[in-house]
Amino acid sequence: MDTGFRIAVIGAGASGIMALIRLAEAGYEDVVCFEKADDLGGTWRDNRYPGVACDVPSHAYRYSFAPNPDWTHVWATGEELLAYFREVAERRDVVRRIRFGHEALSARFEDGRWRLETSQGPQGAFDVVVTATGVLHHPVVPEIEGLQDFRGRAFHTARWPEDETLEGKRVAVIGSGSTATQLVGAATGRTARLSLFQRTAQWILPLPNKEIPPERREEFRADPEALAAEYDKLNRRQVELFAAAIVNENPGAYAKLVEACEAHVATVADPELRARLTPDYQVGCKRLVMSSEFYEAIQRPNAELVVDPIRRILPGGIETEDGVVREFDVIVLATGFDTHRFFRPMRVEGPGGATLDEAWAEANRSYLTVATPGFPNWFMIGGPSSPIGNFSWLMTAETQFDYILALIGRVARGEARALAPRAEAMDRFEAAARERVQDTVWASGCRSWYIDRNGHVASWPWTFERFADVLRAPDWRDFEDVLAPVE
Ligand code: NAP
């Protein structure tokens, strides 16, 4: 029989692990995390392609409660990041709370609690559900004629076969986002030849990845204050300069970004190649790509940039619209993610039977990114309109979770049974966000994963300071207890 206050966390990536640790600190004992894969780590578990790294500086990409003096590079590799999350989860003893191989399939709000079902069957009832399902985890496999008939290996970058090294192979990379750029930078040295099929050019900020010298790491180990100061410095730079520049709050910093990107592409020697690599939209409209290796790699004799659209995939290679056929052993789909699905295809049914798919039929909508009307005690880390620009997701997730903890506390103390934001509060937030986003560079005319199927830019359109400020504490007037007796 279910007794006590039960919390379900969905997803054991960076934000799910954080939620488990913070819930344990807050004294919540009955917490279960459902993870569809057989390991933790989310995006850093899934992305194993050559060159994978984080483009947020390592010392700024860490949990506030687990600073790490041991980062070896200014930008940590995927492997190092996965090791960090694993180590923290183990040290804080939360792995035992994770049920691996449980894909969350449905949740139904019944008698004041969420009844959850996973791929391994019904899991009972929970008072609160916290979704920590990330943004970049539903790979987009493009619909290109003939893809299924390709004789060689074809796979998405987030499904990299463990034994695939690309050594000596003829490789096609489809897509030119952050992933493709990192991959090309790392792979051309080992492939026989590599063709990058680019649909849209990208602005690329040069970002040399230096080693953090062992003496500096020693200093961070010995002096936590030096480590904290490093975080503050990097974080300030990221939030005050970079993030503010992108949302049109720091024109001077934005001008510097533009200058740096333009100067970078100007280093490409061949004018024709340079022209093909130069975007025709504003810097920052798509998520800015960071790489110091890409331009050099694409200019190697064994590399080629293809801009003719793909007509179809043949058993032995790729045919472009100009009729040219190139033969390949491997096709890598660096085609990105469906960032608007969140925790779906999970079916979420609120009190009265309305589903989240119905509520979000027009667009994904949230109140302050963490909750949505009609779905009480259902709280989201990284919900719609979260800040998804070029800064630390961990900082976003922790800020949201502090707020969520305040909501959970109210339910746990019995001050509310079924807490949800009021519809008018969400409408107010959504209307303000939609208006403000029009002034950002994201809405200046390009295709990007920030934009939903209706053309709406679904990212926090203000500064990060404002995000931290409005999420400091809930304004209870914007919430209602949907099970409270009507007075
Ligand atoms: P992405 O930025 O969405 O890029 C996908 C690429 O695939 C785009 O170039 C897109 O072209 C192309 N594409 C999609 N469908 C296609 C089709 N049918 N035919 C031809 N081209 C197609 O995806 P991503 O590179 O995986 O990056 C996603 C996000 O992950 C990044 O923005 C970043 O937030 C994160 N990430 C970060 C790092 C890092 O920290 N360094 C590394 C990798 C990823 P269009 O541009 O024309 O749509």
Side-chain angles (χ1 to χ4, degrees):
M1 196 178 82
D2 290 328
T3 54
F5 190 78
R6 296 188 82 204
I7 301 174
V9 175
I10 302 178
S15 25
I17 293 167
M18 178 272 297
L20 291 176
I21 293 171
R22 299 293 312 281
L23 285 167
E25 275 173 1
Y28 293 102
E29 281 302 317
D30 201 348
V31 178
V32 182
C33 174
F34 297 105
E35 165 56 55
K36 68 179 174 203
D38 56 8
D39 195 6
L40 51 73
T43 199
W44 304 111
R45 174 202 61 219
D46 287 350
N47 285 280
R48 306 288 188 107
Y49 58 86
V52 59
C54 185
D55 58 11
V56 172
S58 46
H59 277 294
Y61 190 81
R62 50 77 163 149
Y63 297 129
S64 61
F65 51 82
N68 176 20
D70 297 321
W71 295 119
T72 62
H73 284 76
V74 175
W75 321 97
T77 61
E79 205 177 329
E80 199 171 359
L81 287 159
L82 183 59
Y84 168 76
F85 290 113
R86 196 186 302 289
E87 190 277 325
V88 175
E90 283 168 3
R91 178 158 45 89
R92 301 297 295 261
D93 194 26
V94 294
V95 181
R96 66 191 167 88
R97 297 195 191 270
I98 306 171
R99 305 276 175 276
F100 293 106
H102 278 263
E103 180 174 4
L105 297 181
S106 69
R108 203 175 67 246
F109 196 78
E110 212 178 85
D111 301 328
R113 299 179 101 193
W114 286 102
R115 296 209 153 265
L116 272 189
E117 182 161 354
T118 73
S119 47
Q120 300 202 27
Q123 302 298 320
F126 294 85
D127 297 276
V128 166
V129 176
V130 176
T131 63
T133 45
V135 177
L136 299 158
H137 76 292
H138 294 295
V140 168
V141 173
E143 285 173 22
I144 302 176
E145 185 193 328
L147 179 58
Q148 301 307 325
D149 305 324
F150 181 61
R151 265 199 314 263
R153 255 183 171 174
F155 50 84
H156 190 276
T157 45
R159 300 287 180 269
W160 198 272
E162 225 165 282
D163 61 346
E164 185 55 79
T165 63
L166 305 182
E167 198 65 49
K169 295 195 175 163
R170 300 166 304 171
V171 177
V173 176
I174 301 179
S176 57
S178 301
T179 301
T181 307
Q182 285 184 341
L183 172 65
V184 170
T188 48
R190 61 176 86 163
T191 58
R193 60 180 171 77
L194 182 147
S195 302
L196 175 67
F197 290 82
Q198 173 191 282
R199 191 163 67 177
T200 313
Q202 292 273 0
W203 288 112
I204 304 179
L205 197 63
L207 205 70
N209 196 2
K210 297 200 190 97
E211 191 191 350
I212 299 173
E215 319 73 80
R216 186 84 171 125
R217 287 182 240 161
E218 189 51 50
E219 187 192 334
F220 288 144
R221 242 173 265 134
D223 181 3
E225 278 180 26
L227 187 57
E230 181 72 2
Y231 173 82
D232 288 342
K233 181 185 81 186
L234 294 169
N235 198 35
R236 236 186 352 264
R237 205 182 286 165
Q238 209 171 300
V239 168
E240 287 173 13
L241 298 180
F242 199 87
I246 295 293
V247 292
N248 203 10
E249 296 269 358
N250 189 338
Y254 180 73
K256 284 199 178 126
L257 281 181
V258 172
E259 204 181 304
C261 290
E262 287 177 350
H264 193 204
V265 73
T267 62
V268 175
D270 173 20
E272 217 176 284
L273 178 62
R274 195 188 319 136
R276 280 185 276 146
L277 287 168
T278 305
D280 59 0
Y281 54 87
Q282 285 189 43
V283 169
C285 184
K286 285 173 177 288
R287 192 182 196 271
L288 208 52
V289 174
M290 322 265 189
S291 171
S292 283
E293 289 84 34
F294 175 74
Y295 289 142
E296 200 186 315
I298 200 71
Q299 293 179 83
R300 289 172 75 112
N302 68 337
E304 173 195 29
L305 181 76
V306 182
V307 294
D308 290 300
I310 296 170
R311 178 182 288 164
R312 59 186 163 150
I313 294 178
L314 304 167
I318 297 180
E319 180 182 337
T320 40
E321 288 293 352
D322 55 3
V324 175
V325 175
R326 291 170 179 82
E327 297 199 335
F328 297 107
D329 305 307
V330 174
I331 297 177
V332 181
L333 306 169
T335 39
F337 301 86
D338 180 349
T339 51
H340 305 282
R341 280 178 78 191
F342 295 90
F343 32 81
R344 290 167 291 175
M346 184 181 190
R347 180 185 161 84
V348 182
E349 197 180 312
T355 68
L356 199 86
D357 273 338
E358 287 159 357
W360 287 359
E362 291 301 312
N364 304 328
R365 282 152 59 85
S366 76
Y367 168 73
L368 296 183
T369 76
V370 293
T372 200
F375 298 85
N377 302 349
W378 181 275
F379 305 131
M380 301 173 284
I381 304 175
S385 296
S386 288
I388 46 177
N390 286 80
F391 42 72
S392 170
W393 178 255
L394 304 188
M395 198 166 68
T396 296
E398 283 197 48
T399 304
Q400 290 172 327
F401 198 67
D402 280 344
Y403 184 97
I404 289 172
L405 265 180
L407 302 179
I408 294 175
R410 198 164 170 116
V411 183
R413 289 189 302 272
E415 293 162 14
R417 272 186 74 198
L419 201 57
R422 295 178 191 277
E424 57 272 23
M426 179 185 74
D427 291 345
R428 203 181 336 116
F429 166 68
E430 287 278 341
R434 274 163 193 259
E435 193 185 327
R436 176 66 180 86
V437 88
Q438 294 310 321
D439 291 341
T440 65
V441 68
W442 301 319
S444 62
C446 67
R447 176 172 44 210
S448 85
W449 63 260
Y450 297 155
I451 298 176
D452 69 15
R453 64 181 189 282
N454 300 317
H456 166 59
V457 181
S459 181
W460 181 264
W462 298 280
T463 59
F464 195 85
E465 285 96 330
R466 176 161 171 171
F467 181 67
D469 199 46
V470 297
L471 286 182
R472 211 168 296 284
D475 179 344
W476 297 115
R477 291 168 303 182
D478 285 350
F479 284 87
E480 62 186 336
D481 182 347
V482 301
L483 290 183
V486 180
E487 287 167 18

